[in-house]
Amino acid sequence: DSGVTQTPKHLITATGQRVTLRCSPRSGDLSVYWYQQSLDQGLQFLIQYYNGEERAKGNILERFSAQQFPDLHSELNLSSLELGDSALYFCASSVERESYNEQFFGPGTRLTVL
Amino acid sequence: QQQVKQSPQSLIVQKGGISIINCAYENTAFDYFPWYQQFPGKGPALLIAIRPDVSEKKEGRFTISFNKSAKQFSLHIMDSQPGDSATYFCAASMEVTGKLIFGQGTTLQVKP
């Protein structure tokens, strides 16, 4: 158990809908990352937050947004969902923002868009 | 320039054998190279990592070899065990950012 929790575990929804994925980082970790894992794209970095501020952005679609709250938990919002958004979404956390700080991954949220 | 290419896509090794997975990168600004291990239904977990100022790092049965001039690095798993059967991802990053660029992954099966 990495200490990172993600809810829900599974999410099934329809095209055009909006969903929110939630992540609670390990106690004491200030940095939160979101990754998308799919068969065709592999594991892709979406976005990083550090202590409430956006730090780095990857291949995140405009339909997707994220935020980190004062209690350091984070939410990833996915809107106008398309079939191709079906994937595993991982949250990871680390103590600090630099990459040499080990990133601990949560168990993921499996999103299925029908 | 941001890509990390990983090979092979899948690998089958006999118990006790050596598993070798290779990665290549293009961006010379990358200065941190971790390997992650992922079991089915779980998130990736850090296995071992290296910085480009050393050519090799060993932790137990796991060794990273790093060739800065060739822009390549590899993971060697010595005395491979069935419990090592998992998907392995190499990654690269610039340390000042937290952004990891992952390879496509290698599914390793170790046969008993």
Side-chain angles (χ1 to χ4, degrees):
Chain A
D1 182 4
S2 67
V4 177
T5 59
Q6 289 187 249
T7 55
K9 270 190 115 165
H10 302 277
L11 201 45
I12 301 174
T13 188
T15 54
Q17 294 299 303
R18 173 190 166 95
V19 297
T20 298
L21 312 184
R22 183 188 166 102
C23 168
S24 292
R26 292 186 325 151
S27 176
D29 284 0
L30 298 176
S31 202
V32 168
Y33 313 79
W34 286 97
Y35 292 88
Q36 180 193 58
Q37 185 173 36
S38 61
L39 279 173
D40 54 342
Q41 297 289 328
L43 197 55
Q44 292 225 318
F45 169 80
L46 295 177
I47 197 163
Q48 176 197 13
Y49 277 82
Y50 176 76
N51 205 19
E53 302 281 329
E54 183 184 303
R55 276 287 300 173
K57 244 178 174 176
N59 299 323
I60 187 166
L61 300 170
E62 282 192 19
R63 300 183 286 109
F64 296 1
S65 65
Q67 54 184 323
Q68 186 180 28
F69 294 87
D71 68 352
L72 301 177
H73 91 270
S74 178
E75 292 180 357
L76 179 68
N77 300 294
L78 316 175
S79 61
S80 303
L81 285 168
E82 301 174 0
L83 295 177
D85 297 328
S86 296
L88 257 175
Y89 290 85
F90 286 106
C91 168
S93 73
S94 65
V95 172
E96 286 290 338
R97 56 193 167 196
E98 295 83 5
S99 58
Y100 57 74
N101 293 283
E102 180 176 352
Q103 293 185 26
F104 294 86
F105 281 72
T109 292
R110 182 171 293 282
L111 174 66
T112 303
V113 183
L114 300 175
Chain B
Q1 257 219 327
Q2 288 291 312
Q3 275 191 324
V4 177
K5 293 182 180 177
Q6 183 172 346
S7 63
Q9 197 172 2
S10 62
L11 184 58
I12 300 175
V13 172
Q14 289 295 126
K15 179 182 172 183
I18 303 173
S19 304
I20 302 174
I21 305 169
N22 301 299
C23 284
Y25 64 97
E26 295 173 359
N27 190 342
T28 54
F30 288 147
D31 54 9
Y32 177 71
F33 302 90
W35 284 88
Y36 278 78
Q37 179 188 55
Q38 184 180 25
F39 293 104
K42 304 284 187 185
L46 180 66
L47 190 61
I48 186 172
I50 197 168
R51 286 170 164 143
D53 52 345
V54 297
S55 59
E56 187 175 280
K57 183 173 181 181
K58 185 175 179 178
E59 287 183 5
R61 296 184 295 109
F62 301 92
T63 300
I64 300 179
S65 297
F66 187 83
N67 186 330
K68 190 173 180 177
S69 60
K71 292 186 284 185
Q72 294 174 349
F73 58 111
S74 60
L75 176 70
H76 292 63
I77 306 174
M78 312 299 288
D79 186 26
S80 299
Q81 298 296 312
D84 297 331
S85 297
T87 301
Y88 292 80
F89 293 92
C90 63
S93 176
M94 287 175 277
E95 277 191 351
V96 293
T97 80
K99 176 179 174 179
L100 293 175
I101 309 298
F102 284 92
Q104 285 296 99
T106 296
T107 302
L108 170 66
Q109 182 185 357
V110 181
K111 291 196 165 183

